[in-house]
Amino acid sequence: MRSVFLHGIARARRDRGRTLLTAIGVAAAAAMVGAAATIVFALATAFDRTAAVSQMPDITARFADEPLAVVRSHVAALANVRAAAYRDETRADLRGGANYATATVDGVRGDGPRGYAITAGRDVARDGEAVVERGVARSWHLHVGQSIGLGGGSVRIVGVAVTPGGVAFPLSRSPHVYVAEATARRIAGAGGAVNQVLLWAKDPLQLDVTLAQARAASYGLRDLRFVTKEGYRHVIGRAAGLVVALLVAFSLIALAAAGVMLAASAGAEVQRRRQAIGVLRALGASPAAVAGGYALETVVVAAPAAAAGLVCGAAIVGGPTRRLLAILNELAPSRLATGVLLVACWLAIVVLVAAATWLPAWRAARASVVGSLRGADVVGTPRRLPLPALAGFGARLALARPARAATLVAVLAASSAVVLLILAIADVLRGLERNAQTLGTRYQLTVPASEISAGEVRRIRGVDGAAVRYESEAADSFDLGESFTLVGFAGDVSRYESPPLARGRRVAGDDEADVGLGLAQALDLHVGGVLAAQLPSGREVRFRVVGVVDALRNEGLVAYVRAPRLHAAMPFASAEIAVRLRASASLDRVRNILISRNAYPQKTGGIAQDTGLGSGGRTSFLRVLAALLRSVAVLDGLVCVYALAQMLALIARERRRAVALVRALGASRAQVFALFAGAALVIAAIATPVGIVVQRVVIGPAVAHLAVTYVTLSLGAGRAAILAVLAGVVVATALAAGWATRSAIADAIVGPLRED
């Protein structure tokens, strides 16, 4: 094996161009792996990482202002509480230079855990000091030591913090500011009262029991609401959960495509050396020695290239990923954690390349020595292809190696599918800003029921369904301090609003209800329990809980029912008609028809509208996401160019006598280019349709399912995306053919013609 290895190293040194091309291919695939792994790791672990660093409370209780002593007595009655922090939360005007916003001001007290993580400076220690949210510090260019206006006075910034309980400013309209208790009292104009308590449980597994005990011990507290750490996770998802899931799912697909590319590259290299393998076998080398030597040689070339590619890929997406996490009020992973991840990816790539080289080398070494010396994988191809003269000849040369052609088709198809997926996700992201159905809402328009009937709406062409929708604030009959939103539909509720089902089933009867997870936690509701709702009309309605859903709106304090009982209890309540459109229908056309009938519809809001996101926040958020997608798209495009260039380099190497003969017969540079372009074009012509079909039928639906299961999300590439990919393939073909042409005509014609 040592002799085979040394022979391979000598070949690599002699054929430096070929070795460089192999290294570039490994680096390009490794860059895709580094980019995808960085995105997946950073986004998938962001909330848990930030919650751990900030010591996020297990339960956050909010209520109307109460004396601190009263609240302490309630907390003292709880058995599973490890620590508690008391806050006085109020609203105040925040001014920094020419910028202005209404801030949420938290008055902190005591030396216990805070629930936020300091990223710059220090924590609040005395009156007149403030810790500001990182989002507002970044947006307004605030820094430690600067004075800002708060309420009727000013405070000095002593620290910058991250709070994982919500998205950052300006994705959220109201930035968080933390001040000392005395400062909060002065701003609120009251003293000694608190309206928020943070609880850390001794045993988080007993959180349900603690919530039930807290509800029982909370008698006298008005407007009481509980939110758990899991509830805050849903709040984050309310703003960007779908986007993050799409990026993570896309990155997983990109990882798979990079693996296919690496394996195909290694296999193609072995095919190029079939004759060399035959020589080694004729000289007495065993199949195991040949395979092991080639695998070791590949590792020597691939290891540094993979390391460089991983670092490059991680660096390309690192900045946009950190900015995305900052917008979501979450911390980026440490350099050590990212480094460990990249080392693991490096080991995986090296092992994959070695295995992908060892297996085909071992199989080739076990084949007939004579067949290997003759290049036995060359087979007959049709004499004529529907391409002009030299282009057709180039196509025949490409198809003469069917195994290599098949692997290259797989790589290009996978790369095309990934690029199409990028473009499809980009289309979805553009829709998220306006009217995407991202919160389990399956209807696109609402129109006041007083302006038109549901039956008349259903008769409009393009309308898939219309149902009367009621919405009312309600209070729990057993504890009037707990309020929630009650939503009722005439007919099948899940046809119009369908958040993910956590447990139980969907509503099927007029006396049944699906409750949000936040409401289930607040009222200790379980499947089979009773939801008693006190309505503004003074009447009470009761429903049997049949399901618990991961509803994002109103922090999960929502219940879904059928309309008859709700309408009977509130016969004069205003209602609206939810309008669901067919997939092929034009929303603007249906809107115009409704307006022509004196009905004025409203579009349902997407992520941006639901979170109250301002225009500046939307622009920043979508810009960061676009940067991430562009980064990975560039890497994937490089893989396509490399794969084609690798194939053409192999053809130029193996068929150098044929290319030299064509040149000796007077072929111009353009005609040699046509030869290589024909070879690349026939592969691209097969791979691109395959990639389009795979993206629309397999990868698109798979990523949509990975990202979200409670909304119909189309990730099939449209006509514009397909045309863009076709144009990109043409450019990649031209670049690869141009590179191969330049390499081929750089050599003298006589040399190859003299070879036997």
Side-chain angles (χ1 to χ4, degrees):
M1 184 175 73
R2 184 172 180 273
S3 300
V4 176
F5 171 68
L6 294 176
H7 172 263
I9 294 298
R11 285 176 60 100
R13 289 177 178 174
R14 179 178 177 273
D15 195 357
R16 294 180 181 178
R18 181 63 213 168
T19 303
L20 179 61
L21 183 62
T22 301
I24 291 175
V26 173
M32 284 188 63
V33 173
T38 300
I39 293 173
V40 169
F41 177 70
L43 298 183
T45 62
F47 181 84
D48 291 332
R49 177 175 53 254
T50 309
V53 173
S54 63
Q55 297 184 344
M56 188 176 184
D58 297 301
I59 302 173
T60 300
R62 289 185 172 88
F63 40 84
D65 289 346
E66 294 288 347
L68 177 61
V70 173
V71 179
R72 284 187 186 274
S73 66
H74 286 293
V75 174
L78 305 179
N80 189 34
V81 174
R82 172 175 57 86
Y86 303 91
R87 299 277 176 82
D88 179 17
E89 186 174 275
T90 188
R91 307 271 287 181
D93 294 338
L94 179 67
R95 300 174 303 281
N99 300 298
Y100 168 84
T102 301
T104 300
V105 182
D106 280 4
V108 299
R109 63 187 76 202
D111 298 325
R114 298 297 201 190
Y116 53 82
I118 300 294
T119 59
R122 59 173 175 83
D123 205 350
V124 174
R126 59 183 64 88
D127 188 14
E129 296 180 344
V131 170
V132 298
E133 173 197 320
R134 185 175 62 177
V136 72
R138 183 187 62 252
S139 300
W140 290 5
H141 305 290
L142 304 177
H143 54 82
V144 174
Q146 182 177 345
S147 294
I148 55 174
L150 186 63
S154 65
V155 293
R156 186 170 62 91
I157 300 174
V158 297
V160 178
V162 167
T163 306
V167 294
F169 180 88
L171 194 60
S172 171
R173 286 180 176 174
S174 182
H176 266 82
V177 179
Y178 301 94
V179 298
E181 176 186 1
T183 307
R185 287 182 184 178
R186 185 172 62 253
I187 293 173
V194 297
N195 53 23
Q196 186 180 148
V197 60
L198 314 181
L199 302 176
W200 287 264
K202 296 178 182 177
D203 183 6
L205 297 178
Q206 301 297 322
L207 206 58
D208 288 345
V209 177
T210 304
L211 281 170
Q213 187 183 16
R215 281 187 290 269
S218 63
Y219 179 75
L221 297 181
R222 295 166 294 127
D223 299 329
L224 178 64
R225 290 189 178 189
F226 293 104
V227 182
T228 64
K229 185 186 297 185
E230 191 65 26
Y232 277 122
R233 189 192 302 272
H234 287 293
V235 173
I236 295 295
R238 182 181 184 180
L242 173 60
V243 174
V244 171
L246 280 173
L247 289 175
V248 171
F250 159 74
S251 298
L252 294 175
I253 297 299
L255 283 171
V260 171
M261 189 266 174
L262 285 170
S265 175
E269 182 65 18
V270 171
Q271 289 294 326
R272 187 177 74 89
R273 298 190 178 184
R274 285 292 297 272
Q275 292 182 340
I277 291 174
V279 172
L280 291 172
R281 290 286 290 122
L283 294 176
S286 66
V290 171
Y294 274 32
L296 189 58
E297 175 200 343
T298 303
V299 168
V300 171
V301 175
L310 285 169
V311 172
C312 181
I316 288 174
V317 302
T321 301
R322 285 190 296 271
R323 289 193 291 273
L324 175 60
L325 292 176
I327 289 173
L328 297 179
N329 232 352
E330 294 175 342
L331 297 173
S334 65
R335 292 184 179 179
L336 177 60
T338 304
V340 171
L341 173 69
L342 294 180
V343 169
C345 291
W346 178 79
L347 291 174
I349 290 173
V350 171
V351 170
L352 174 61
V353 172
T357 302
W358 184 91
L359 181 59
W362 182 76
R363 294 178 60 184
R366 287 173 56 89
S368 167
V369 174
V370 175
S372 295
L373 290 172
R374 290 179 176 175
D377 60 334
V378 179
V379 297
T381 58
R383 290 188 177 184
R384 291 188 179 182
L385 290 171
L387 291 172
L390 285 174
F393 178 57
R396 292 184 61 197
L397 294 180
L399 296 179
R401 301 280 190 176
R404 180 192 302 161
T407 55
L408 185 58
V409 165
V411 170
L412 290 182
S415 297
S416 300
V418 169
V419 172
L420 285 170
L421 182 61
I422 291 175
L423 298 177
I425 293 176
D427 289 338
V428 170
L429 295 182
R430 283 193 291 270
L432 292 179
E433 181 183 1
R434 300 176 179 87
N435 58 0
Q437 312 305 301
T438 57
L439 305 179
T441 302
R442 296 178 178 269
Y443 54 93
Q444 291 76 27
L445 296 170
T446 59
V447 60
S450 59
E451 298 175 352
I452 195 171
S453 68
E456 188 176 355
V457 173
R458 293 189 195 102
R459 289 192 292 271
I460 297 176
R461 187 162 60 90
V463 172
D464 187 47
V468 178
R469 181 184 185 275
Y470 296 89
E471 180 173 323
S472 173
E473 290 298 313
D476 176 36
S477 295
F478 302 120
D479 182 2
L480 296 180
E482 184 61 66
S483 61
F484 57 94
T485 302
L486 197 60
V487 179
F489 282 92
D492 185 3
V493 177
S494 63
R495 181 173 168 79
Y496 295 92
E497 290 198 31
S498 182
L501 189 65
R503 52 186 178 269
R505 60 174 175 82
R506 303 290 183 184
V507 171
D510 293 346
D511 62 340
E512 297 176 345
D514 283 339
V515 299
L517 181 61
L519 184 60
Q521 291 178 340
L523 299 181
D524 195 23
L525 294 173
H526 302 279
V527 174
V530 175
L531 173 66
Q534 190 78 27
L535 299 175
S537 63
R539 300 185 61 178
E540 180 191 82
V541 288
R542 297 197 174 196
F543 301 92
R544 182 168 57 89
V545 177
V546 297
V548 177
V549 295
D550 288 334
L552 305 179
R553 62 188 302 246
N554 197 27
E555 297 181 359
L557 298 173
V558 62
Y560 296 96
V561 300
R562 288 193 171 181
R565 299 186 67 186
L566 183 60
H567 177 58
M570 300 179 62
F572 302 106
S574 60
E576 60 186 7
I577 298 173
V579 184
R580 173 172 172 154
L581 305 181
R582 294 189 176 94
S584 59
S586 169
L587 184 143
D588 290 335
R589 178 185 172 277
V590 174
R591 283 187 66 197
N592 292 335
I593 293 176
L594 290 170
I595 292 173
S596 69
R597 300 181 184 181
N598 297 321
Y600 297 93
Q602 296 291 328
K603 292 182 180 180
T604 56
I607 284 178
Q609 181 176 330
D610 183 77
T611 55
L613 175 62
S615 60
R618 282 197 299 267
T619 302
S620 175
F621 189 52
L622 296 178
R623 187 179 300 158
V624 170
L625 296 176
L628 273 176
L629 292 175
R630 284 196 300 268
S631 300
V632 184
V634 168
L635 293 175
D636 193 69
L638 291 176
V639 168
C640 290
V641 175
Y642 164 77
L644 288 171
Q646 181 194 57
M647 179 199 70
L648 297 182
L650 292 178
I651 291 176
R653 176 80 177 183
E654 295 170 344
R655 305 291 186 170
R656 54 191 177 276
R657 292 187 64 192
V659 175
L661 182 60
V662 170
R663 293 174 59 199
L665 293 175
S668 65
R669 183 188 185 98
Q671 289 173 315
V672 175
F673 174 84
L675 185 151
F676 287 113
L681 187 60
V682 70
I683 299 297
I686 299 172
T688 305
V690 172
I692 294 172
V693 172
V694 168
Q695 194 280 331
R696 293 181 63 87
V697 177
V698 180
I699 296 181
V703 172
H705 180 73
L706 284 173
V708 61
T709 59
Y710 57 93
V711 56
T712 302
L713 184 66
S714 175
L715 286 183
R719 180 182 302 174
I722 292 174
L723 291 176
V725 167
L726 291 175
V729 169
V730 171
V731 172
T733 300
L735 290 175
W739 181 86
T741 301
R742 180 181 178 185
S743 300
I745 65 175
D747 297 331
I749 298 176
V750 177
L753 293 175
R754 287 176 176 174
E755 296 181 359
D756 294 330

